[in-house]
Amino acid sequence: MPWLRSHVHQATRLLRLNSTRRLELAQIIALLDDEQRRVVHDERDLVSVVTESLGRLQRLLQGHPTPQAFALWDEEMRQPKNEDRLSDYAADFLRRDLTQRGVIVNREVEIQRKTGSRMGERTDLYVQAISTSNARDIITLIIETKGC
């Protein structure tokens, strides 16, 4: 039932909010010592962390002293490389940028199986982090890339 997914999502969010643990002094000091560290309590926090990382990717591609956008451009065909290359490039960057922050980035994950030998529903990038509120709670973000 379509409405059930919405209610489960809302209940999970409320559970996270109500079971939030306070950070310990050592964790706060570690956050203050490293401006790159972030606390991830819920989906919004994970979206913020990934958005910051994608901003760094954007600067690397276009604002860097030697812009790296050529890596996504097929110079012979004079057009952007296909969507899979963009996904691969973004996944590699996010892995390098976020792994030390405890974020896991996977590529081409089957998120829903189909019966028989048909390929299931896949997503381009599947990003996960463990909630700081509840160590048993894994927060997931799905990214679909779209080429032009």
Side-chain angles (χ1 to χ4, degrees):
M1 293 180 232
W3 58 269
L4 186 58
R5 181 176 291 181
S6 172
H7 285 282
V8 168
H9 179 72
Q10 182 63 18
T12 302
R13 185 165 157 56
L14 288 173
L15 178 65
R16 282 189 190 128
L17 287 173
N18 293 330
S19 64
T20 300
R21 294 182 327 204
R22 296 190 188 279
L23 295 176
E24 296 186 18
L25 182 59
Q27 293 171 310
I28 294 171
I29 291 171
L31 284 168
L32 293 172
D33 283 344
D34 184 355
E35 66 183 38
Q36 298 295 319
R37 286 183 180 243
R38 298 290 181 270
V39 175
V40 176
H41 288 298
D42 57 23
E43 293 90 352
R44 288 182 186 164
D45 292 340
L46 183 55
V47 167
S48 293
V49 167
V50 172
T51 300
E52 284 179 20
S53 182
L54 290 173
R56 288 187 286 275
L57 174 58
Q58 178 75 16
R59 287 188 293 281
L60 176 69
L61 289 171
Q62 295 185 342
H64 198 264
T66 53
Q68 300 296 303
F70 69 87
L72 298 174
W73 191 258
D74 185 337
E75 294 176 4
E76 189 173 303
M77 298 293 290
R78 295 182 179 216
Q79 64 185 17
K81 290 184 179 176
N82 68 28
E83 187 176 302
D84 285 336
R85 294 300 128 239
L86 173 59
S87 293
D88 290 342
Y89 193 87
D92 286 344
F93 178 84
L94 290 171
R95 280 187 197 108
R96 286 190 310 271
D97 196 52
L98 297 177
T99 298
Q100 293 178 342
R101 293 174 178 83
V103 176
I104 300 166
V105 179
N106 294 298
R107 174 85 174 86
E108 285 293 330
V109 174
E110 184 177 48
I111 57 174
Q112 187 170 356
R113 294 185 78 177
K114 290 196 176 174
T115 57
S117 61
R118 298 184 313 169
M119 186 177 290
E121 198 175 316
R122 294 182 170 274
T123 183
D124 294 326
L125 301 172
Y126 194 79
V127 182
Q128 293 180 305
I130 296 174
S131 172
T132 53
S133 302
N134 181 351
R136 293 173 295 196
D137 194 11
I138 297 175
I139 302 166
T140 302
L141 173 67
I142 294 174
I143 301 174
E144 286 294 320
T145 58
K146 297 297 172 206
C148 54

